[in-house]
Every structure is written in C-alpha cells, then in structure tokens.
Amino acid sequence: LQSGSFLFGRAPRERWRGAIGGALLFGGLAGYYFASMSELPKAPGAGREDAFQIGGLLLAIAGLANGFLMGRSRWWLAAVPAGAWLAAQGRVPWGWWMVATTVLVAVAAVLLRRVSRDATKRHACAILCTALLVGAGLAQVWCGPEHPARNQATLAGLKTNQSNLREFFLPVDANLATEGNFQPGTGLWIVLPMLAWSFWRAEKLAVKLFFVAASLPCFALARVPWISDFLLGYAPNGLVQVVNLTLPIRIMPILSALLAMGGVTAWACAATDARASWRQRGCWVLLAMAVGWGLWETTPFAKRGWSMIESRTRTEDKFRPENLVLDRFTYDLLPHPAYLSHGHTDPWLQARVLDKKEKVVIGPDQTAALMELGGARRVRLTVRKDAANPVWVHVAPDVAVPPGEKFLLRFEFDPKINYGGYLIWTATHGYREYRLPASGLPLAFGADVTNSRVISIENTTEQTADYHLTMPREAVNTLRGDGDFFADLVISRYDPARASVRVDELMPRYRVTATVPTAGWIETSRVWLPGYRATLDGKRVETKASQQGLAMVAVGPGRHELELHYVGTGKLWAALALSALTWLGWLFPVVRRVQAGASAG
C-alpha cells in the first residue's frame, strides 16, 4: 500500500515521515523473524531474479503513472524501458508484459485527454491496473502455453482451485469435506463490491489500493482466462516457494478480508460531505454483518478441531507419529536430505557415520546387519489378489510386533520385479504407507538400487500389533498376485546398547554415541543452521553442513560421544532484542493513553 501511494508521484514531507516511521516500526517488530529466515540455507543466487522482476515492475509503473497519466516531468518516461528491461532480466515474459502495458496506457492516455485534460489524473490507478491485467493476458497469448519459463506447479494448483470454484461462494460445509471449504468467506464477497464501486468512482488513492490488494488473490482462486495463467505461471520463484498455491485457499483469504474491510473503513471515513453520515452507517452495518457471518462460519472448524483432541485416546488416534508426512516438517524452506522418506522415519536411528568422502559407513542398513548377528527371523512374503478388487494385493504373512518391542525390518527385494504402488501397513493402532519402488528421496526406503532396505517399527501399546500389508498396484507393477514372491523379510530386535551408532537423546540436546572404524564424520539428523554448538568427547568442535544438508562433525577412529544443541547466532539474539524492545516501545504509549483516558474519566 505504501509503495503504491509513492508510485503515483510527489509526496509531502508528512507522507515520507509516516512511511519511514511505519517501515522502521515494521522492521523492528519483524526483525527477529527476518533475521532467522535469512540464516536458512538457500541456493546460490536465490532471489536475484525475483528482485529484477519486482524492481523492474515498480520502476515501469512509476514511469507510466507519472510520465503518461499524471502529466509530470517527461523524464519519468525513461523509467519505463529501464523497468521493462530489468523485469526481463528476471524472467523474459515480464519484459513483454511491461511492453504491452505501456502501449495500453499510452493509448488510454491519448484518448482520455481528448475528452478531459484531468481525466487521466483522476482515473490513473484504474487505468494502470486495467492495463496491467489486459497486458498480462496479451503477454500470455504472445508467449503461448508451452513457454519454458512457466511454473507448472503453480498452474497445477490453479487447476485444483478451479475445481473447487463453486464452493468458494457457498457457506462452509459442516463436514469440511474438501479444500473448497477453506474459502474466502461470504463477508469478503460482500465488501469487495463496495471497494470496486469506490475504485471506479475516483475515490481516495488509498481506497483504490485496498481494492487492488484485496482482489489479487482472486486470480489464484478462480482462473481468469490468460490473465491468471500469466500472473501465476510467471510469478517470482521465491514468492511461489514461500506462498505456495495452497495459501490462497488457507491464509490469503484471511488477509484479503482484512484488506477489504480496511478499505471499506477507509472509504467510510474519507467522506466529509453531507453524504458521509449514511455512508458510514451503512458501512458499519455491512461490516458487522460480514464479521458476524464469518464468525458463524468458523464454528465447523472449531468443532472439528475439538473432536480430534477431546481426549487423549482421540488425539493419539488422529495424530500418531506413524501418520506424519515428514517432508512437510521443513515447510519446503530447508534442504531435504536424500534419506527422507514420505512416511515414517525413526529419528533415533538416523545418525550416521561417514568416511572422509562422506560415503555412509554406518547407517540403518549396517545397524540392521549388526542386530541380525544377535539373532534374526527370516520370513518369505508372498502376494495374492484381492477377490473384490484385483488391483489390490494382500501380502502374507502379517508382521506381529509384541508389546514394548522395537524391530528392524530389512527387505530383500527382487530386482527383476517392478514394485510400483503403495505398500500400506494397517494395525489396530497403527498405519503406514510407503511408496514403492522409492518411498521418498533417492536414499530413502525402497526397492531401487540406491534405496535403503530398512525400516524400524515399534509397539508402545499393551497389545500385540499385527500389521497387515496390502498394495494397490500401478500399471507398471509386475506382481501377478497369484501367490508369487514379494520379498524376503529379515526381522531383528533393535538393541541400542549393541549399536555402533545410536542417538541417546533428541531434546533438548541431541546426543550421539558412535564407534567409528575410520576417520570421517558423524552426521546427525539435524538440518544444519548457523548457531549450532557441538562438543565431541567434552571438547568444543566445529559443525559443518554435509552433502545432505545435515549438521556433522569431523571424528577420528574410536568411540566418541557427540552433543549438539542450538544456541543461535549473535545476529539472531540482537534481532530478538530489537523486536522485543520494539514491541514494548509500541505498547507503552498505548497503555499510557488508556491510563490517561481512565484518569480523565
């Protein structure tokens, strides 16, 4: 909103003072967040293309607004080609977008000035926004649907949203059955037309900008031909990574409602003539109705949340560790180690010993082989078709885990078989699924050459857990399902006292004991960040990032005890202090004002 107000020309000293003060306040309040995010590992050069795109866009808009529409110095026109060129350095289609927008703005300015000299000034925001949207559609047509710079993931998300479009305009379903129930809400649809009216009636610039900001997510929720395809298909990569297309369904509608209601509030308070009274009263009534309806529509979410945590048993059934998809714990912001399985990964088994070239010397597979030396049971697994649905096969026999036991299961797959499908484990109090031939990234559990063959399974209940294995076969799967061989399964009991490398504690400190056969590294399961402090055999040592993006320390041969805990960096603590002081400094005058009002009363 601040940027938009400055893009349209001169600003008095008060506006500069307010903008700078607001920026400093925001920077102080959010300093800790941005400092912590800046320390996350990132790809080389990340953000440079995004900066070119955004910077070029703002520069071109400023040139168009001041040079063509507001009738200010013609020197502003030099910013237009410079902005288009800069945007194209980030992503070429954005350069074409700026060219198309420039032509449209120039044509509109020439035509409107024939009608009224001040028409372009009064409608500058509307003209520019319309030109940007139409220009995006024209650029999409020019680039075509197969342009290599298009982001296919965002367009797939747009297609998913399109399938839920009808539900975005309906009340929330009591059962919350689909993603469409994470909709913007009726209140937003009520207030947006009011902002649209003020947008075209040449109201205050701030109200126009509120409408623009509140309307942008609509292009991600509903596909506007060509325009949505361009805005989402060529959006800056950093923005796409952080925002993701699920956010317009879950979080952006909330932000949109706040923006829209803020715009309506500004509109209601802006009028100073005789009509101000009815406008303000009407706006307050409408806002009260929209907020009330929005609160009513949140009740299904509250009821569903409570139904999942109303008792300990219910919570354990709904949120068992076996059901966690660990890929989401990083929220797509941290590097993913190649060991990551999109199912159940045992953090107590994930420390590894690497040689100097970072090849795994001791990992889960080597630990399983060591446990098998103390005794193991070999089971031959076979598969048969399901009588009701031949696509599904049942794997026999079941895997029984007695109470309090933890087993390591090592599969010996047949390399000649294509295992395409999901291997699903079900028990009374357990569920897992592993996508085969690879359940996650290249070194995760699976049947391919590079995959690990070992998973761990533990029973913390008081009854034996009998896991039944089933698999829905994909077209490439070559299992016949007539009693043929699936895999040999070697089952051993996990005894941490016999392990060459084991995790002794996860929280609050991460502790590992390892017997290392040769000089190399102890690799932990913690994603590397600056601010970790490590001690090896009681002495401070340096942590480094492994090739998998995990924290590791150098070791020599022999038995070692490694302790790792996060203490943060100096920059992070300074940012925390800044944010805390800013919050206190911002709240102090508010409290003083309330106290002064109470004293006066």
Side-chain angles (χ1 to χ4, degrees):
L1 295 173
Q2 288 283 10
S3 298
S5 68
F6 280 101
L7 289 176
F8 286 86
R10 301 186 185 95
R13 184 177 300 176
E14 291 74 16
R15 183 184 291 180
W16 278 105
R17 194 159 45 233
I20 293 172
L24 291 175
L25 177 63
F26 174 76
L29 295 175
Y32 178 68
Y33 170 79
F34 285 108
S36 60
M37 292 292 287
S38 71
E39 292 187 346
L40 298 182
K42 54 183 73 71
R48 185 179 60 182
E49 291 78 9
D50 294 359
F52 284 159
Q53 285 183 257
I54 300 298
L57 173 66
L58 295 177
L59 191 60
I61 288 177
L64 291 172
N66 292 280
F68 276 118
L69 302 176
M70 305 303 291
R72 298 198 174 96
S73 172
R74 293 186 178 181
W75 286 105
W76 275 106
L77 296 177
V80 179
W85 176 84
L86 190 62
Q89 304 311 302
R91 193 165 285 184
V92 172
W94 272 43
W96 292 116
W97 181 25
M98 293 301 97
V99 171
T101 301
T102 301
V103 173
L104 292 170
V105 169
V107 171
V110 170
L111 294 177
L112 284 175
R113 280 176 184 169
R114 291 182 177 181
V115 178
S116 170
R117 189 172 183 82
D118 294 331
T120 56
K121 292 183 180 180
R122 288 187 291 111
H123 299 288
C125 186
I127 295 170
L128 191 54
C129 290
T130 303
L132 284 168
L133 293 178
V134 176
L138 293 175
Q140 172 63 30
V141 173
W142 174 261
C143 294
E146 305 301 328
H147 196 283
R150 295 210 319 169
N151 190 314
Q152 299 300 327
T154 58
L155 294 174
L158 177 63
K159 187 175 182 180
T160 300
N161 290 354
Q162 184 69 15
S163 65
N164 295 319
L165 180 60
R166 180 175 173 272
E167 296 183 47
F168 293 150
F169 298 93
L170 297 176
V172 172
D173 181 70
N175 297 321
L176 302 176
T178 69
E179 286 186 345
N181 285 290
F182 294 93
Q183 43 110 314
T186 308
L188 177 59
W189 303 127
I190 290 175
V191 298
L192 273 179
M194 297 175 62
L195 280 178
W197 173 261
S198 66
F199 181 81
W200 293 107
R201 285 293 302 271
E203 297 284 349
K204 289 182 62 176
L205 177 61
V207 180
K208 294 175 179 290
L209 294 174
F210 268 115
F211 173 72
V212 173
S215 300
L216 279 176
C218 295
F219 292 97
L221 296 173
R223 180 181 176 270
V224 180
W226 301 308
I227 297 176
S228 292
D229 294 345
F230 184 87
L231 295 179
L232 294 175
Y234 301 106
N237 290 328
L239 183 66
V240 169
Q241 181 185 8
V242 175
V243 172
N244 204 303
L245 253 291
T246 57
L247 235 61
I249 300 179
R250 292 184 293 156
I251 296 178
M252 288 302 286
I254 301 171
L255 178 59
S256 300
L258 292 172
L259 287 169
M261 293 182 179
V264 172
T265 303
W267 184 50
C269 297
T272 56
D273 55 20
R275 297 175 297 174
S277 178
W278 71 261
R279 177 192 290 188
Q280 290 174 352
R281 291 174 184 173
C283 286
W284 302 141
V285 170
L286 206 56
L287 282 179
M289 292 172 57
V291 171
W293 181 260
L295 290 173
W296 171 254
E297 291 218 294
T298 63
T299 54
F301 295 93
K303 290 178 181 177
R304 180 169 178 175
W306 174 250
S307 71
M308 293 187 177
I309 60 171
E310 59 184 344
S311 67
R312 183 178 180 87
T313 302
R314 186 73 170 169
T315 303
E316 289 178 348
D317 286 342
K318 291 294 183 180
F319 298 103
R320 292 189 64 82
E322 289 89 338
N323 298 333
L324 295 178
V325 181
L326 295 184
D327 179 54
R328 297 300 299 165
F329 93 99
T330 64
Y331 212 65
D332 294 336
L333 294 176
L334 297 177
H336 296 69
Y339 317 125
L340 190 64
S341 175
H342 303 308
H344 178 82
T345 300
D346 186 352
W348 298 95
L349 200 65
Q350 291 307 308
R352 289 168 170 81
V353 173
L354 314 177
D355 63 17
K356 289 185 176 181
K357 295 183 178 180
E358 297 192 38
K359 180 181 178 181
V360 176
V361 177
I362 304 175
D365 292 79
Q366 291 75 20
T367 299
L370 180 62
M371 296 299 128
E372 291 167 15
L373 295 177
R377 180 162 54 96
R378 179 178 288 269
V379 179
R380 186 179 180 85
L381 300 177
T382 59
V383 289
R384 287 196 177 276
K385 296 177 184 177
D386 185 277
N389 188 352
V391 172
W392 286 71
V393 293
H394 296 269
V395 182
D398 292 349
V399 177
V401 185
E405 287 287 0
K406 180 174 183 177
F407 289 155
L408 297 184
L409 310 180
R410 183 172 61 83
F411 286 77
E412 295 178 354
F413 294 106
D414 186 343
K416 299 178 182 179
I417 296 176
N418 190 312
Y419 290 91
Y422 281 86
L423 183 61
I424 299 174
W425 302 57
T426 53
T428 304
H429 293 289
Y431 174 87
R432 297 188 186 188
E433 59 181 37
Y434 294 96
R435 172 77 169 81
L436 294 180
S439 69
L441 299 185
L443 302 180
F445 171 74
D448 278 346
V449 176
T450 61
N451 291 121
S452 171
R453 298 293 193 266
V454 173
I455 61 174
S456 65
I457 192 164
E458 184 176 13
N459 182 6
T460 58
T461 69
E462 296 179 355
Q463 293 87 30
T464 297
D466 291 308
Y467 281 91
H468 179 60
L469 281 64
T470 57
M471 170 178 275
R473 294 174 294 172
E474 297 176 347
V476 296
N477 190 298
T478 56
L479 291 168
R480 296 189 305 276
D482 54 4
D484 50 317
F485 174 80
F486 179 78
D488 283 327
L489 177 63
V490 182
I491 305 174
S492 60
R493 180 175 178 272
Y494 177 69
D495 181 2
R498 298 178 54 241
S500 296
V501 55
R502 68 173 187 267
V503 178
D504 299 315
E505 182 182 353
L506 284 176
M507 296 292 289
R509 293 172 183 260
Y510 184 91
R511 293 193 300 111
V512 177
T513 300
T515 302
V516 181
T518 183
W521 306 88
I522 295 179
E523 183 186 47
T524 73
S525 60
R526 296 284 182 90
V527 175
W528 182 88
L529 289 171
Y532 269 116
R533 179 177 295 172
T535 57
L536 184 67
D537 302 327
K539 298 179 181 179
R540 284 279 301 275
V541 291
E542 181 184 2
T543 62
K544 290 188 175 181
S546 71
Q547 294 175 0
Q548 304 298 332
L550 301 172
M552 67 177 186
V553 299
V555 293
R559 186 178 183 277
H560 299 284
E561 293 183 0
L562 170 65
E563 188 173 288
L564 186 72
H565 65 287
Y566 184 76
V567 298
T569 61
K571 180 178 77 172
L572 198 62
W573 281 102
L576 175 61
L578 174 64
S579 291
L581 291 173
T582 306
W583 276 102
L584 292 174
W586 177 64
L587 292 174
F588 180 73
V590 176
V591 174
R592 288 289 301 271
R593 194 173 302 158
V594 172
Q595 290 177 341
S599 300

